[in-house]
Amino acid sequence: MKITVWGLTVSSSWGNGHATLWRGLIRGLARAGHHVTFVERDVPYYAQHRDLTELPGARLMLYREWDEVFAARRSMLDADVLMVTSYCPDAVAATRLIEAEGRGARVFYDLDTPVTLARLEAGEPVAYLPSEGLGGFDLVLSYTGGPALEALEQRLGARRTAPLYGHVDPEAHRPVPPAGECGDLSYLGTYADDRQPVLAELFIAPAERAPERRFMLGGSGYPHGFPWRPNIWFSGHVAPPEHPAFFCSSRATLNVTRRDMAAMGWCPSGRLFEAAACGAPIVSDTWPGLDRFFTPGEEIILAAQASDVLDALALSDAELRRIADAARARVLAEHSSDARARELVGLLESIGQRQAVAA
């Protein structure tokens, strides 16, 4: 199967969650014999922090002006599947091109569904959505399941929806030796205003209440006024190849979900699966549907307040290891990039089957 994707970025993991997910999914598709062309606008922000230039088994096309895409459109449109994603800076132009000249199955993949729906609810423009909605696509995939799927149908006219959740490539994320001195609790994530209240409760407050413990924070975009504590060590941006060592350098790691995603539920972050695949015990905020992916108390520790985090850190190393091993086994069985690639292929093949029946 040949798949062309117009997306936000796969070449830079700086400040976004799309790139790592696409890298794992593309590797999974390539291992199964499929070929992906990923079309990405070459913007300065990502160009300055590019950490991938080649996609084994796939093609990366970087462009600066839409005219370059239009000139090379034949090679892109010669595909079984033509996919546009959320936050693609030329999503609408790509949609119009597919409508005008594309013959493959038309797919929209919203990797930011809660954000999309929240903006629509607030009456704000969503630049990556066609003005008429999503009714022109044969399939609308959503990073978020549950009630979000019905909302995509009702609000945006999607004719057929399906979840395509996050995932992890076990070849890229696996247990490794720690990098330097180990800490008690780590957190890896880009700074976000809407995540800050929960981060303050589940990371800053425990650090303040347990000054004898070591806390490790990694990610980009943290402001000068961030409420640092003396026992918080900051790593800055952590590139994907360094994620395993980061996760394996603490007794436990924290997961904090974006506000809109937590409110809607059924939206596991890629970091959640990455940490589990690396064998890190996970302490997480809670949201509807989380128990669909991990069993609370057995594969993940849930926390609503600082005392819950401190209770988790008080567990023995043996108990934390038991929880981490159970989570890793669950991820390898159900949430690997290969497993998600198989789900995607099954969904894409079903489009052709439905079209054949309709004909």
Side-chain angles (χ1 to χ4, degrees), residues 18-43:
H18 288 216
T20 303
L21 288 165
W22 272 115
R23 293 173 191 182
L25 190 60
I26 287 172
R27 284 193 289 265
L29 290 166
R31 282 191 285 263
H34 307 287
H35 186 275
V36 175
T37 295
F38 195 96
V39 188
E40 173 183 338
R41 179 182 278 274
D42 189 7
V43 298

PDB file of all heavy atoms in Angstrom, residues 18-43:
ATOM      1  N   HIS A  18       3.782  15.148  17.570  1.00  0.00           N
ATOM      2  CA  HIS A  18       3.475  14.447  16.330  1.00  0.00           C
ATOM      3  C   HIS A  18       4.649  13.626  15.808  1.00  0.00           C
ATOM      4  O   HIS A  18       4.475  12.496  15.346  1.00  0.00           O
ATOM      5  CB  HIS A  18       3.055  15.453  15.252  1.00  0.00           C
ATOM      6  CG  HIS A  18       1.707  16.056  15.466  1.00  0.00           C
ATOM      7  ND1 HIS A  18       0.849  16.355  14.419  1.00  0.00           N
ATOM      8  CD2 HIS A  18       1.047  16.425  16.582  1.00  0.00           C
ATOM      9  CE1 HIS A  18      -0.261  16.885  14.897  1.00  0.00           C
ATOM     10  NE2 HIS A  18      -0.147  16.952  16.208  1.00  0.00           N
ATOM     11  N   ALA A  19       5.853  14.207  15.847  1.00  0.00           N
ATOM     12  CA  ALA A  19       6.991  13.611  15.149  1.00  0.00           C
ATOM     13  C   ALA A  19       7.312  12.203  15.636  1.00  0.00           C
ATOM     14  O   ALA A  19       7.474  11.278  14.826  1.00  0.00           O
ATOM     15  CB  ALA A  19       8.216  14.511  15.286  1.00  0.00           C
ATOM     16  N   THR A  20       7.410  12.031  16.944  1.00  0.00           N
ATOM     17  CA  THR A  20       7.773  10.713  17.471  1.00  0.00           C
ATOM     18  C   THR A  20       6.724   9.670  17.114  1.00  0.00           C
ATOM     19  O   THR A  20       7.057   8.524  16.775  1.00  0.00           O
ATOM     20  CB  THR A  20       7.947  10.792  18.999  1.00  0.00           C
ATOM     21  OG1 THR A  20       8.938  11.771  19.321  1.00  0.00           O
ATOM     22  CG2 THR A  20       8.390   9.453  19.558  1.00  0.00           C
ATOM     23  N   LEU A  21       5.447  10.059  17.173  1.00  0.00           N
ATOM     24  CA  LEU A  21       4.379   9.128  16.812  1.00  0.00           C
ATOM     25  C   LEU A  21       4.481   8.717  15.346  1.00  0.00           C
ATOM     26  O   LEU A  21       4.352   7.534  15.015  1.00  0.00           O
ATOM     27  CB  LEU A  21       3.017   9.765  17.090  1.00  0.00           C
ATOM     28  CG  LEU A  21       2.635   9.907  18.562  1.00  0.00           C
ATOM     29  CD1 LEU A  21       1.469  10.862  18.720  1.00  0.00           C
ATOM     30  CD2 LEU A  21       2.319   8.556  19.163  1.00  0.00           C
ATOM     31  N   TRP A  22       4.707   9.690  14.470  1.00  0.00           N
ATOM     32  CA  TRP A  22       4.802   9.368  13.051  1.00  0.00           C
ATOM     33  C   TRP A  22       6.015   8.504  12.753  1.00  0.00           C
ATOM     34  O   TRP A  22       5.953   7.599  11.906  1.00  0.00           O
ATOM     35  CB  TRP A  22       4.828  10.645  12.211  1.00  0.00           C
ATOM     36  CG  TRP A  22       3.456  11.115  11.863  1.00  0.00           C
ATOM     37  CD1 TRP A  22       2.840  12.262  12.253  1.00  0.00           C
ATOM     38  CD2 TRP A  22       2.502  10.407  11.068  1.00  0.00           C
ATOM     39  NE1 TRP A  22       1.566  12.327  11.757  1.00  0.00           N
ATOM     40  CE2 TRP A  22       1.323  11.196  11.022  1.00  0.00           C
ATOM     41  CE3 TRP A  22       2.513   9.181  10.401  1.00  0.00           C
ATOM     42  CZ2 TRP A  22       0.188  10.801  10.319  1.00  0.00           C
ATOM     43  CZ3 TRP A  22       1.374   8.786   9.705  1.00  0.00           C
ATOM     44  CH2 TRP A  22       0.234   9.589   9.672  1.00  0.00           C
ATOM     45  N   ARG A  23       7.114   8.744  13.438  1.00  0.00           N
ATOM     46  CA  ARG A  23       8.300   7.926  13.194  1.00  0.00           C
ATOM     47  C   ARG A  23       8.037   6.460  13.519  1.00  0.00           C
ATOM     48  O   ARG A  23       8.399   5.565  12.756  1.00  0.00           O
ATOM     49  CB  ARG A  23       9.475   8.459  14.018  1.00  0.00           C
ATOM     50  CG  ARG A  23       9.937   9.834  13.568  1.00  0.00           C
ATOM     51  CD  ARG A  23      10.985  10.417  14.497  1.00  0.00           C
ATOM     52  NE  ARG A  23      11.223  11.826  14.207  1.00  0.00           N
ATOM     53  CZ  ARG A  23      12.116  12.584  14.832  1.00  0.00           C
ATOM     54  NH1 ARG A  23      12.868  12.064  15.790  1.00  0.00           N
ATOM     55  NH2 ARG A  23      12.271  13.860  14.501  1.00  0.00           N
ATOM     56  N   GLY A  24       7.405   6.212  14.666  1.00  0.00           N
ATOM     57  CA  GLY A  24       7.097   4.835  15.031  1.00  0.00           C
ATOM     58  C   GLY A  24       6.097   4.201  14.086  1.00  0.00           C
ATOM     59  O   GLY A  24       6.261   3.049  13.671  1.00  0.00           O
ATOM     60  N   LEU A  25       5.049   4.954  13.729  1.00  0.00           N
ATOM     61  CA  LEU A  25       4.018   4.410  12.847  1.00  0.00           C
ATOM     62  C   LEU A  25       4.585   4.125  11.461  1.00  0.00           C
ATOM     63  O   LEU A  25       4.281   3.078  10.853  1.00  0.00           O
ATOM     64  CB  LEU A  25       2.847   5.387  12.753  1.00  0.00           C
ATOM     65  CG  LEU A  25       1.582   4.873  12.064  1.00  0.00           C
ATOM     66  CD1 LEU A  25       1.019   3.667  12.796  1.00  0.00           C
ATOM     67  CD2 LEU A  25       0.528   5.981  11.990  1.00  0.00           C
ATOM     68  N   ILE A  26       5.421   5.016  10.952  1.00  0.00           N
ATOM     69  CA  ILE A  26       6.016   4.807   9.622  1.00  0.00           C
ATOM     70  C   ILE A  26       6.935   3.591   9.639  1.00  0.00           C
ATOM     71  O   ILE A  26       6.940   2.795   8.696  1.00  0.00           O
ATOM     72  CB  ILE A  26       6.762   6.076   9.178  1.00  0.00           C
ATOM     73  CG1 ILE A  26       5.748   7.170   8.811  1.00  0.00           C
ATOM     74  CG2 ILE A  26       7.669   5.797   7.985  1.00  0.00           C
ATOM     75  CD1 ILE A  26       6.364   8.524   8.541  1.00  0.00           C
ATOM     76  N   ARG A  27       7.718   3.430  10.708  1.00  0.00           N
ATOM     77  CA  ARG A  27       8.561   2.230  10.806  1.00  0.00           C
ATOM     78  C   ARG A  27       7.715   0.968  10.843  1.00  0.00           C
ATOM     79  O   ARG A  27       8.050  -0.041  10.217  1.00  0.00           O
ATOM     80  CB  ARG A  27       9.456   2.326  12.043  1.00  0.00           C
ATOM     81  CG  ARG A  27      10.642   3.266  11.880  1.00  0.00           C
ATOM     82  CD  ARG A  27      11.647   3.067  13.004  1.00  0.00           C
ATOM     83  NE  ARG A  27      11.146   3.556  14.273  1.00  0.00           N
ATOM     84  CZ  ARG A  27      11.392   4.771  14.769  1.00  0.00           C
ATOM     85  NH1 ARG A  27      12.142   5.611  14.082  1.00  0.00           N
ATOM     86  NH2 ARG A  27      10.912   5.132  15.938  1.00  0.00           N
ATOM     87  N   GLY A  28       6.591   1.027  11.582  1.00  0.00           N
ATOM     88  CA  GLY A  28       5.708  -0.131  11.640  1.00  0.00           C
ATOM     89  C   GLY A  28       5.109  -0.461  10.285  1.00  0.00           C
ATOM     90  O   GLY A  28       5.016  -1.624   9.897  1.00  0.00           O
ATOM     91  N   LEU A  29       4.693   0.568   9.551  1.00  0.00           N
ATOM     92  CA  LEU A  29       4.138   0.357   8.215  1.00  0.00           C
ATOM     93  C   LEU A  29       5.201  -0.178   7.265  1.00  0.00           C
ATOM     94  O   LEU A  29       4.936  -1.083   6.461  1.00  0.00           O
ATOM     95  CB  LEU A  29       3.559   1.665   7.681  1.00  0.00           C
ATOM     96  CG  LEU A  29       2.288   2.166   8.368  1.00  0.00           C
ATOM     97  CD1 LEU A  29       2.003   3.616   7.987  1.00  0.00           C
ATOM     98  CD2 LEU A  29       1.102   1.275   8.012  1.00  0.00           C
ATOM     99  N   ALA A  30       6.427   0.360   7.357  1.00  0.00           N
ATOM    100  CA  ALA A  30       7.508  -0.097   6.483  1.00  0.00           C
ATOM    101  C   ALA A  30       7.856  -1.559   6.756  1.00  0.00           C
ATOM    102  O   ALA A  30       8.113  -2.334   5.822  1.00  0.00           O
ATOM    103  CB  ALA A  30       8.735   0.783   6.670  1.00  0.00           C
ATOM    104  N   ARG A  31       7.856  -1.951   8.028  1.00  0.00           N
ATOM    105  CA  ARG A  31       8.159  -3.348   8.361  1.00  0.00           C
ATOM    106  C   ARG A  31       7.114  -4.286   7.786  1.00  0.00           C
ATOM    107  O   ARG A  31       7.395  -5.460   7.524  1.00  0.00           O
ATOM    108  CB  ARG A  31       8.264  -3.509   9.880  1.00  0.00           C
ATOM    109  CG  ARG A  31       9.573  -3.023  10.473  1.00  0.00           C
ATOM    110  CD  ARG A  31       9.711  -3.447  11.921  1.00  0.00           C
ATOM    111  NE  ARG A  31       8.884  -2.675  12.809  1.00  0.00           N
ATOM    112  CZ  ARG A  31       9.301  -1.615  13.510  1.00  0.00           C
ATOM    113  NH1 ARG A  31      10.555  -1.204  13.389  1.00  0.00           N
ATOM    114  NH2 ARG A  31       8.492  -0.974  14.325  1.00  0.00           N
ATOM    115  N   ALA A  32       5.898  -3.774   7.586  1.00  0.00           N
ATOM    116  CA  ALA A  32       4.819  -4.601   7.024  1.00  0.00           C
ATOM    117  C   ALA A  32       4.768  -4.505   5.501  1.00  0.00           C
ATOM    118  O   ALA A  32       3.857  -5.062   4.876  1.00  0.00           O
ATOM    119  CB  ALA A  32       3.485  -4.175   7.618  1.00  0.00           C
ATOM    120  N   GLY A  33       5.716  -3.786   4.897  1.00  0.00           N
ATOM    121  CA  GLY A  33       5.799  -3.735   3.441  1.00  0.00           C
ATOM    122  C   GLY A  33       5.089  -2.569   2.784  1.00  0.00           C
ATOM    123  O   GLY A  33       4.976  -2.537   1.560  1.00  0.00           O
ATOM    124  N   HIS A  34       4.624  -1.607   3.567  1.00  0.00           N
ATOM    125  CA  HIS A  34       3.932  -0.450   3.016  1.00  0.00           C
ATOM    126  C   HIS A  34       4.907   0.720   2.870  1.00  0.00           C
ATOM    127  O   HIS A  34       5.950   0.759   3.524  1.00  0.00           O
ATOM    128  CB  HIS A  34       2.759  -0.061   3.897  1.00  0.00           C
ATOM    129  CG  HIS A  34       1.832  -1.210   4.186  1.00  0.00           C
ATOM    130  ND1 HIS A  34       0.971  -1.724   3.232  1.00  0.00           N
ATOM    131  CD2 HIS A  34       1.660  -1.970   5.305  1.00  0.00           C
ATOM    132  CE1 HIS A  34       0.301  -2.746   3.766  1.00  0.00           C
ATOM    133  NE2 HIS A  34       0.695  -2.906   5.008  1.00  0.00           N
ATOM    134  N   HIS A  35       4.562   1.682   2.020  1.00  0.00           N
ATOM    135  CA  HIS A  35       5.448   2.823   1.771  1.00  0.00           C
ATOM    136  C   HIS A  35       4.715   4.130   2.045  1.00  0.00           C
ATOM    137  O   HIS A  35       3.586   4.334   1.584  1.00  0.00           O
ATOM    138  CB  HIS A  35       5.952   2.828   0.330  1.00  0.00           C
ATOM    139  CG  HIS A  35       6.973   3.883   0.053  1.00  0.00           C
ATOM    140  ND1 HIS A  35       6.613   5.187  -0.273  1.00  0.00           N
ATOM    141  CD2 HIS A  35       8.323   3.850   0.078  1.00  0.00           C
ATOM    142  CE1 HIS A  35       7.710   5.896  -0.447  1.00  0.00           C
ATOM    143  NE2 HIS A  35       8.762   5.124  -0.243  1.00  0.00           N
ATOM    144  N   VAL A  36       5.375   5.017   2.806  1.00  0.00           N
ATOM    145  CA  VAL A  36       4.782   6.301   3.181  1.00  0.00           C
ATOM    146  C   VAL A  36       5.610   7.436   2.595  1.00  0.00           C
ATOM    147  O   VAL A  36       6.845   7.428   2.671  1.00  0.00           O
ATOM    148  CB  VAL A  36       4.713   6.459   4.712  1.00  0.00           C
ATOM    149  CG1 VAL A  36       4.198   7.854   5.089  1.00  0.00           C
ATOM    150  CG2 VAL A  36       3.817   5.383   5.324  1.00  0.00           C
ATOM    151  N   THR A  37       4.929   8.406   2.009  1.00  0.00           N
ATOM    152  CA  THR A  37       5.540   9.683   1.656  1.00  0.00           C
ATOM    153  C   THR A  37       4.992  10.721   2.622  1.00  0.00           C
ATOM    154  O   THR A  37       3.776  10.927   2.694  1.00  0.00           O
ATOM    155  CB  THR A  37       5.211  10.098   0.212  1.00  0.00           C
ATOM    156  OG1 THR A  37       5.797   9.156  -0.697  1.00  0.00           O
ATOM    157  CG2 THR A  37       5.767  11.482  -0.095  1.00  0.00           C
ATOM    158  N   PHE A  38       5.887  11.347   3.389  1.00  0.00           N
ATOM    159  CA  PHE A  38       5.451  12.354   4.358  1.00  0.00           C
ATOM    160  C   PHE A  38       5.818  13.726   3.815  1.00  0.00           C
ATOM    161  O   PHE A  38       6.995  14.018   3.558  1.00  0.00           O
ATOM    162  CB  PHE A  38       6.112  12.129   5.720  1.00  0.00           C
ATOM    163  CG  PHE A  38       5.455  12.896   6.835  1.00  0.00           C
ATOM    164  CD1 PHE A  38       4.508  12.288   7.640  1.00  0.00           C
ATOM    165  CD2 PHE A  38       5.783  14.227   7.081  1.00  0.00           C
ATOM    166  CE1 PHE A  38       3.887  12.992   8.669  1.00  0.00           C
ATOM    167  CE2 PHE A  38       5.169  14.939   8.099  1.00  0.00           C
ATOM    168  CZ  PHE A  38       4.225  14.315   8.896  1.00  0.00           C
ATOM    169  N   VAL A  39       4.813  14.579   3.621  1.00  0.00           N
ATOM    170  CA  VAL A  39       4.993  15.897   3.028  1.00  0.00           C
ATOM    171  C   VAL A  39       4.914  16.931   4.151  1.00  0.00           C
ATOM    172  O   VAL A  39       3.899  17.042   4.831  1.00  0.00           O
ATOM    173  CB  VAL A  39       3.920  16.176   1.959  1.00  0.00           C
ATOM    174  CG1 VAL A  39       4.234  17.472   1.220  1.00  0.00           C
ATOM    175  CG2 VAL A  39       3.823  15.006   0.975  1.00  0.00           C
ATOM    176  N   GLU A  40       6.000  17.697   4.334  1.00  0.00           N
ATOM    177  CA  GLU A  40       6.124  18.606   5.481  1.00  0.00           C
ATOM    178  C   GLU A  40       6.629  19.975   5.037  1.00  0.00           C
ATOM    179  O   GLU A  40       7.624  20.076   4.319  1.00  0.00           O
ATOM    180  CB  GLU A  40       7.086  18.002   6.501  1.00  0.00           C
ATOM    181  CG  GLU A  40       7.439  18.912   7.660  1.00  0.00           C
ATOM    182  CD  GLU A  40       8.461  18.288   8.608  1.00  0.00           C
ATOM    183  OE1 GLU A  40       8.596  17.054   8.634  1.00  0.00           O
ATOM    184  OE2 GLU A  40       9.140  19.064   9.311  1.00  0.00           O
ATOM    185  N   ARG A  41       5.960  21.022   5.486  1.00  0.00           N
ATOM    186  CA  ARG A  41       6.438  22.377   5.203  1.00  0.00           C
ATOM    187  C   ARG A  41       7.723  22.625   6.002  1.00  0.00           C
ATOM    188  O   ARG A  41       7.779  22.370   7.209  1.00  0.00           O
ATOM    189  CB  ARG A  41       5.386  23.425   5.563  1.00  0.00           C
ATOM    190  CG  ARG A  41       5.876  24.848   5.306  1.00  0.00           C
ATOM    191  CD  ARG A  41       4.841  25.872   5.715  1.00  0.00           C
ATOM    192  NE  ARG A  41       3.815  26.075   4.692  1.00  0.00           N
ATOM    193  CZ  ARG A  41       3.918  26.911   3.667  1.00  0.00           C
ATOM    194  NH1 ARG A  41       5.034  27.613   3.498  1.00  0.00           N
ATOM    195  NH2 ARG A  41       2.926  27.045   2.806  1.00  0.00           N
ATOM    196  N   ASP A  42       8.746  23.117   5.321  1.00  0.00           N
ATOM    197  CA  ASP A  42      10.051  23.351   5.928  1.00  0.00           C
ATOM    198  C   ASP A  42      10.051  24.712   6.614  1.00  0.00           C
ATOM    199  O   ASP A  42      10.516  25.710   6.059  1.00  0.00           O
ATOM    200  CB  ASP A  42      11.140  23.281   4.848  1.00  0.00           C
ATOM    201  CG  ASP A  42      12.540  23.301   5.428  1.00  0.00           C
ATOM    202  OD1 ASP A  42      12.667  23.242   6.671  1.00  0.00           O
ATOM    203  OD2 ASP A  42      13.501  23.380   4.643  1.00  0.00           O
ATOM    204  N   VAL A  43       9.532  24.755   7.831  1.00  0.00           N
ATOM    205  CA  VAL A  43       9.434  26.019   8.563  1.00  0.00           C
ATOM    206  C   VAL A  43      10.694  26.235   9.406  1.00  0.00           C
ATOM    207  O   VAL A  43      11.312  25.275   9.874  1.00  0.00           O
ATOM    208  CB  VAL A  43       8.182  26.052   9.455  1.00  0.00           C
ATOM    209  CG1 VAL A  43       6.921  25.943   8.618  1.00  0.00           C
ATOM    210  CG2 VAL A  43       8.229  24.924  10.479  1.00  0.00           C
TER     211      VAL A  43
END
